[in-house]
Amino acid sequence: MLINVKKTSQHGLTKSVQFDNKIFYYHVFGNLYLENEIEVIKATLDNNHSYLAKRLGDFTIVVLDPASNKLKVLSDRPGKRNIFYNVGVNGITISDDFWEIKDALSFNISDIDTTAIKQQIVFFTGLNERTILKGVKTVPAASILTIDIEKETVTKQRYWEFSYIENQLSYNDKLDLIDETFTNALGTIKALNPQESTFAVGISGGLDSRIIPYYAHKNGMDIEGFTIGLEKPRKLLLSNDFNSANKIAEYFNLERRTLEYNSIPLKEQLDIESRLAPEIGSQIFKVVDVSELKSNALVTGASGFVIGASPLYGSIKESPLLDHTLLYQSLLGVKPKASRLKKAINSFTGLSLDFKPNLNMSGFGEFFSKDELNECISDIEEFYDGLGCLSKSEKLMNYAIFGLGRNNAKGAFESFLGQKDSYSIYTPFFLDTVQQFNEDELLNRQLFQEFIANRLPELSAIQGQDFKPTLSGKPNPVRTMSRKLVAMGNFVVRGSGVMNYENWVKSSEFRRLKSHLNDETRFIQSELGLSFDYGDHRVHPALQQNILKMQNILSKI
């Protein structure tokens, strides 16, 4: 949907509402869930931050006051929907489609921002709302933009940010609150889709894979399970992930189908994701034929960081905030050789071994220089400075929400690039709940895991992904060690069936495509003064995927 508001006309704002004898024109991108549309618009015009901070949905609202010639743009708290805008002499152009706004502005290769290209490759997204199109930005989360059409200026107000809220809740009160939030989340999703007979859920053996079916069944929702990956990476036995996925499917008596990660040729996958989601990191190895599922609505565990998953590790207490951010919210971290083996040995013996990713602060040679990295660091520090005296974990949570979080409507593992309606069990439903946690309860998903072990013990006995042990059983040295041994043995014998990117990028098909696109975009790279050569650096497989996708996007501009 394209909106173009000029000084004398407004294309795309077809709805109107009247307050205090004044007419306002508006448009709603996305879904306000069960909220009152008119009341939300009124709160936007009145800058009623406390009211807006309690609203649930996946929406961006554009409201024009023709009397003052000012436009207000409101985003939901997690900013789940990427909306692009450009302010210029020809008015305000807004769209929820990257290619649509590029064509509307008649942009070409000369209008490409090379810094934003590198940021999107290394950080999965442009920093400070930047896009690869010069002058085109994305609407930030939990914000109200006020755009003066005459003066061509933009002011931004953030109406909400994450912080811990002091409370008198007991431990059991908090477990009750988690249970209540999950129940309400699935109930809301069901109420939003009364016409749907089934809901599709990714079943991969992880914690979300068991939580979603449990609360879906509690709300009377039928589930269609699917798993994206490779069933038998070791050729003989089902992978650890698929073995656990089958146990979950059997427990809940639900259908589960496999969607092979390479069922669609990689070039076709690239073309699909470049067309549907050019503004986010690569989803190659996740693009599948959505027609294989009968469900029209997905329920996912996107934005799992909200309940303390990566990057909210306990190590943030000892690490500088910037270093921790770069290590876990970018592709600057590189795992040492044999890191999994070292991690396994550390898990059993407690020996101090170098298995954690190392932070590369020198850049990647010609592709991403140290000066360019320093520019990115300045952007991140500017964001953190704007959060005042919040704790490190609070600031990191805000960075995750306002940065990567907004991409999960298209970029989460089971999102299908937005080809089907998708709903996360975490955002926006858990934002208020998690603010009742303290730092120790949030980091490493501590309280969340204890909730599963204490309240849903029947679900905690199934092994998780990779070599994560089960959550069941009272902690004692013998039982803990035996669980770790079983989990490690399962993983070594069976292998990883989902998200096995380190091996998949080594495939001959990926290497051929990489060579082809490098040749095809050589002229564009030269014109932009851009290089995708990261030299001899050992890089994260996702960086290779993101480069491949960016080359494919540039070939189409």
Side-chain angles (χ1 to χ4, degrees), residues 205-223:
L207 297 183
D208 303 332
S209 297
R210 55 201 81 188
I211 285 288
I212 297 175
Y214 179 88
Y215 283 97
H217 283 185
K218 187 176 180 180
N219 279 278
M221 302 162 67
D222 288 332
I223 292 298

Side-chain angles (χ1 to χ4, degrees), residues 55-117:
R55 308 284 62 85
L56 299 179
D58 170 11
F59 61 85
T60 299
I61 300 177
V62 181
V63 187
L64 172 67
D65 178 358
S68 65
N69 226 8
K70 290 183 178 179
L71 197 71
K72 286 204 172 188
V73 183
L74 168 78
S75 57
D76 59 56
R77 275 192 294 171
K80 294 179 66 173
R81 185 171 294 267
N82 272 325
I83 303 296
F84 308 92
Y85 73 97
N86 172 265
V87 179
V89 293
N90 293 321
I92 317 302
T93 306
I94 303 174
S95 177
D96 58 353
D97 185 286
F98 171 92
W99 294 108
E100 184 177 53
I101 198 167
K102 181 205 80 79
D103 292 340
L105 297 170
S106 302
F107 276 9
N108 53 40
I109 285 296
S110 64
D111 299 298
I112 294 298
D113 184 335
T114 55
T115 298
I117 282 178

Side-chain angles (χ1 to χ4, degrees), residues 1 27-33 57-62 73-85 94-97 129 137-142 276 279-280 303 401-411 417-423 427-428:
M1 174 66 186
H27 177 77
V28 179
F29 290 102
N31 191 333
L32 274 161
Y33 288 4
D58 170 11
F59 61 85
T60 299
I61 300 177
V62 181
V73 183
L74 168 78
S75 57
D76 59 56
R77 275 192 294 171
K80 294 179 66 173
R81 185 171 294 267
N82 272 325
I83 303 296
F84 308 92
Y85 73 97
I94 303 174
S95 177
D96 58 353
D97 185 286
E129 296 94 54
K137 304 193 87 174
T138 53
V139 177
L276 296 176
E279 72 273 18
I280 64 176
S303 297
I401 290 172
F402 284 79
L404 283 184
R406 69 170 191 232
N407 290 328
N408 279 334
K410 291 182 179 179
L417 299 168
Q419 294 179 82
K420 289 179 179 284
D421 291 336
S422 65
Y423 303 86
T427 54

Side-chain angles (χ1 to χ4, degrees), residues 184-198:
N184 291 341
L186 272 297
T188 299
I189 294 168
K190 180 183 179 183
L192 290 169
N193 297 274
Q195 75 288 352
E196 295 299 328
S197 58
T198 61

Side-chain angles (χ1 to χ4, degrees), residues 224-443:
E224 177 187 14
F226 66 92
T227 309
I228 303 174
L230 185 65
E231 287 191 341
K232 297 181 178 180
R234 300 278 196 262
K235 306 303 182 185
L236 294 176
L237 299 175
L238 276 178
S239 75
N240 181 58
D241 308 303
F242 278 86
N243 186 49
S244 293
N246 281 347
K247 290 179 179 179
I248 292 171
E250 182 180 356
Y251 178 86
F252 289 107
N253 192 30
L254 56 86
E255 173 190 359
R256 186 200 67 79
R257 69 179 66 233
T258 296
L259 306 177
E260 296 285 353
Y261 82 93
N262 56 357
S263 59
I264 296 177
L266 297 190
K267 180 59 169 72
E268 188 178 336
Q269 289 192 42
L270 271 184
D271 288 340
I272 292 172
E273 67 167 350
S274 297
R275 173 172 52 86
L276 296 176
E279 72 273 18
I280 64 176
S282 177
Q283 304 300 293
I284 198 170
F285 306 130
K286 310 174 191 177
V287 181
V288 294
D289 184 359
V290 298
S291 67
E292 293 190 38
L293 297 176
K294 59 187 177 184
S295 307
N296 294 312
L298 308 173
V299 186
T300 79
S303 297
F305 60 81
V306 168
I307 46 84
S310 174
L312 290 156
Y313 300 122
S315 57
I316 192 176
K317 290 185 176 182
E318 293 78 37
S319 304
L321 175 60
L322 180 62
D323 288 1
H324 193 92
T325 304
L326 294 175
L327 190 58
Y328 295 111
Q329 288 274 262
S330 78
L331 296 175
L332 293 167
V334 179
K335 290 181 180 179
K337 292 182 178 179
S339 61
R340 281 188 170 177
L341 176 61
K342 293 175 182 176
K343 185 175 181 180
I345 294 172
N346 167 268
S347 176
F348 291 128
T349 66
L351 290 174
S352 179
L353 299 175
D354 179 25
F355 63 86
K356 293 182 178 179
N358 297 313
L359 183 59
N360 173 8
M361 293 295 286
S362 62
F364 296 116
E366 189 178 353
F367 160 63
F368 191 64
S369 69
K370 191 175 190 311
D371 287 342
E372 289 169 323
L373 173 56
N374 288 338
E375 185 178 345
C376 294
I377 288 173
S378 295
D379 284 342
I380 297 171
E381 289 178 330
E382 179 184 342
F383 176 84
Y384 282 145
D385 288 343
L387 293 172
C389 59
L390 294 181
S391 69
K392 289 193 295 184
S393 61
E394 288 170 322
K395 288 184 175 182
L396 183 62
M397 176 72 92
N398 280 293
Y399 181 86
I401 290 172
F402 284 79
L404 283 184
R406 69 170 191 232
N407 290 328
N408 279 334
K410 291 182 179 179
F413 192 82
E414 306 95 348
S415 70
F416 293 159
L417 299 168
Q419 294 179 82
K420 289 179 179 284
D421 291 336
S422 65
Y423 303 86
S424 167
I425 56 173
Y426 298 125
T427 54
F429 304 106
F430 260 85
L431 295 178
D432 293 328
T433 296
V434 176
Q435 287 189 281
Q436 311 301 316
F437 291 9
N438 61 47
E439 184 174 74
D440 288 334
E441 291 169 338
L442 175 68
L443 297 179

